[in-house]
Amino acid sequence: MPPAEQRDEVEMLWLMLLIRRFEERASQQYQAQKIGGFCHLYIGQEAVVTGAIAAIRDDDYLITAYRDHAHALARGTTANACMAELFGKETGCARGLGGSMHFFDKAHHMYGGHAIVGAHVPLACGLAFACTYRNEDRLTLCFFGDGAINQGAFHEALNLAALYKLPIIFICENNLFAMGTSVERSTSLKEIVDRAEGYDIPAAVVDGMNFREVRDKIAETVASIRKDQHSAFIEARTYRYRGHSMSDPASYRTKEQLEKYRLDDPITRLRAQLTREGKLTNEKFDELDKRAKETALASVKFAEESPEPLLEKLYNYTYAP
Amino acid sequence: MTSEMREITYRQALNEALAEELERDPNVFLMGEEVAEYNGAYKVSQGLLERFGPKRIIDTPISENGFAGLGVGAAMVGLRPIIEFMTFSFSFVAFDQVVNNAPNMFTMSGGQFNIPITFRGPNGPAHQLGATHSHATECLYANVPGLKVCAPATPRDAKGLLKTAVRDNNPVLVLESELLYSSKGMIEPAEIELLIPLGQAEIKREGSDVTVICYAQTVPLALTVAQQLEEEEISVEVLDLRSIKPLDERAIYSSVAKTHRVVIVEQDRPFCGVGAEVCYRIQKNIFDQLDAPIARVSQEDVPMPYNERLEHAVLPNAEKLIAAVKKVCYA
């Protein structure tokens, strides 16, 4: 992936396509029982992480929850390493020891992949604390879902971040459901974004289905933080097309709701914007989509052919030397 | 040991360890409730704010989960946090960070992120603090792969183990003891670098009739009892584990091979306690060396009562230990 300043919108559209095609393949491979455990798909939410990535530097830090395949791909982890991780293979981005919910990639500043809801939000404070401690101007993007905002760890972390003026952007990917429980059934506030006010953290709402809106708001926030270090909170209103995980038929929501969001698809939307502006032809789009599909398919082949982690190495990753 | 040994308190020893490691490595910082401006709830961090400044000695709100997690995150990118829990009874509020995030990260990331963090603070029953403030947590934390756990009993061990913990590339819990903070002991001069490896037990008193295995608060208890039993011509060897995990099995087996009788006296509770594991390993590995069933003295299996007389009855004490020693010696 090119550095941030060169990330043009066509490249970002390709990234969204890659995320979607990758996850469609993952879904298929899960059904074929090549992938075990839990598998949470991001399909529908692509504009959020892609918009965010388009606004930050490669050396900024990123940490997220368990719906993390897209975040790793957006950071630059290869589709091969991601699919191999889902297959539990030695070539995976966590050597097959993490699985779907625990993607890590140190070289690309991807700090997980964390599966206890809300528990990684304090870790984001630590990443940002380290930057401040070392007088670096990096910042940390911390993603989490609407389900995390009622966890104690989330509240403790926001207070610490505001208190210590840590350079973090907290990004709540509000997809309306914490597993099967809707926001109105879980949260006393009407607007999630108002949570930030209680910690004196500046906050904004963005349309999480709109790449440009996400990117521009985050870019503006990034500039503000780099100028005068502080924390910020962004609620990205988005939607996942699939269930909470592969085993969830999502019977708690209506077909009409799903259709409404599908019509507002982030990929279709950016494609239309670019086409209208003469920056993208249908041929170019088809070529991008073909490349995304091929990359996803190749990752399955790579994962299938990759070796399992060695049994003899079982004890090698419990304690660091 | 050198001839210029000096006497300091357990509290001073910990303070020296902190100061020396902060001085040595700019990546080390101390964070916790009241560690800076208040100089530590138990004065372990006395003077450190003045010496190292607020960037490295950091007061937190009462948010154990939050600041323990902050430490883990900072450790992911190479800082070496020392996180103080005012007592390990409060570490339960941060349990998820201590048992899930800190020790799992290295495995879950396929070896990409090790977590060089030290969690420290007083552990175990103190005096009449009641059920919520009296937890001995060693058996809980030693159960978690990825964590290392030590529980020093003397000023020398406290300093040497804490310094080693800070330098370790993994999460290490240094379980101190409120009742020992003011106790005194001999230690090398300050200019001598004192590092005591994790996983190394120490014979605190040699003996030939019975091995009493102990750690932390039960070490002074075992030494007192050993002294007392000498008058009754029972020679007690006192083996201080110092580290719970890794466990120095070699030291245990070599002492047991000498005395053939064992009492384990631990400050935690009986069910799944440290003694249960030690006992299992002894019988599994050197069963033939035993001349008597192993005895254990621990807390009673009840939440800690506030009442002083009842608290005394719950804790391991001299009467119980003497009775156990005599039982295994058939005396």
Side-chain angles (χ1 to χ4, degrees), chain A residues 238-255:
Chain A
T238 184
Y239 202 76
R240 59 170 152 77
Y241 297 170
R242 304 297 185 90
H244 163 70
S245 69
M246 284 300 297
S247 55
D248 170 23
S251 51
Y252 42 82
R253 56 189 195 186
T254 62
K255 273 196 178 118

Side-chain angles (χ1 to χ4, degrees), chain B residues 93-325:
Chain B
V93 184
F95 205 56
D96 184 47
Q97 299 298 341
V98 182
V99 307
N100 235 337
N101 281 343
N104 285 342
M105 204 73 76
F106 189 61
T107 300
M108 277 194 320
S109 67
Q112 291 177 88
F113 294 103
N114 64 299
I115 305 297
I117 195 170
T118 303
F119 295 107
R120 51 156 289 273
N123 169 67
H127 189 60
Q128 283 199 278
L129 301 184
T132 60
H133 282 52
S134 300
H135 288 283
T137 64
E138 56 272 24
C139 49
L140 301 172
Y141 290 122
N143 185 251
V144 180
L147 294 180
K148 297 183 181 182
V149 181
C150 64
T154 66
R156 185 174 185 273
D157 292 341
K159 182 175 179 183
L161 286 168
L162 177 53
K163 281 169 65 77
T164 300
V166 174
R167 296 181 191 198
D168 199 281
N169 287 326
N170 299 281
V172 183
L173 277 65
V174 180
L175 306 178
E176 301 160 8
S177 184
E178 186 186 329
L179 295 179
L180 296 175
Y181 279 140
S182 296
S183 67
K184 291 179 176 172
M186 301 305 283
I187 192 168
E188 286 82 345
E191 59 274 16
I192 289 178
E193 181 94 283
L194 178 64
L195 290 165
I196 294 173
L198 292 160
Q200 213 174 81
E202 186 179 66
I203 294 173
K204 288 287 198 278
R205 178 195 168 105
E206 296 215 27
S208 53
D209 294 332
V210 54
T211 299
V212 171
I213 298 174
C214 51
Y215 60 89
Q217 290 179 22
T218 61
V219 176
L221 171 66
L223 287 168
T224 307
V225 163
Q227 183 75 38
Q228 226 171 309
L229 287 172
E230 195 176 59
E231 289 158 22
E232 298 183 37
E233 295 188 340
I234 299 175
S235 170
V236 176
E237 176 141 303
V238 176
L239 181 65
D240 176 4
L241 294 176
R242 302 200 290 193
S243 289
I244 309 298
K245 195 180 196 178
L247 184 67
D248 189 351
E249 292 183 68
R250 224 168 62 167
I252 295 170
Y253 303 152
S254 88
S255 179
V256 175
K258 182 168 83 173
T259 63
H260 310 291
R261 295 165 199 276
V262 186
V263 176
I264 303 162
V265 55
E266 62 201 295
Q267 60 177 14
D268 65 358
R269 285 168 287 225
F271 199 96
C272 299
V274 167
E277 180 67 25
V278 172
C279 179
Y280 165 75
R281 291 185 186 221
I282 293 170
Q283 64 80 30
K284 175 175 179 276
N285 293 300
I286 52 165
F287 184 79
D288 291 347
Q289 293 287 352
L290 291 171
D291 285 349
I294 297 167
R296 280 176 73 199
V297 178
S298 69
Q299 287 188 40
E300 298 299 319
D301 203 4
V302 293
M304 187 64 75
Y306 160 71
N307 175 275
E308 191 172 26
R309 198 168 63 97
L310 292 183
E311 181 182 61
H312 180 77
V314 169
L315 293 172
N317 56 40
E319 305 91 89
K320 293 181 192 176
L321 182 54
I322 289 168
V325 169

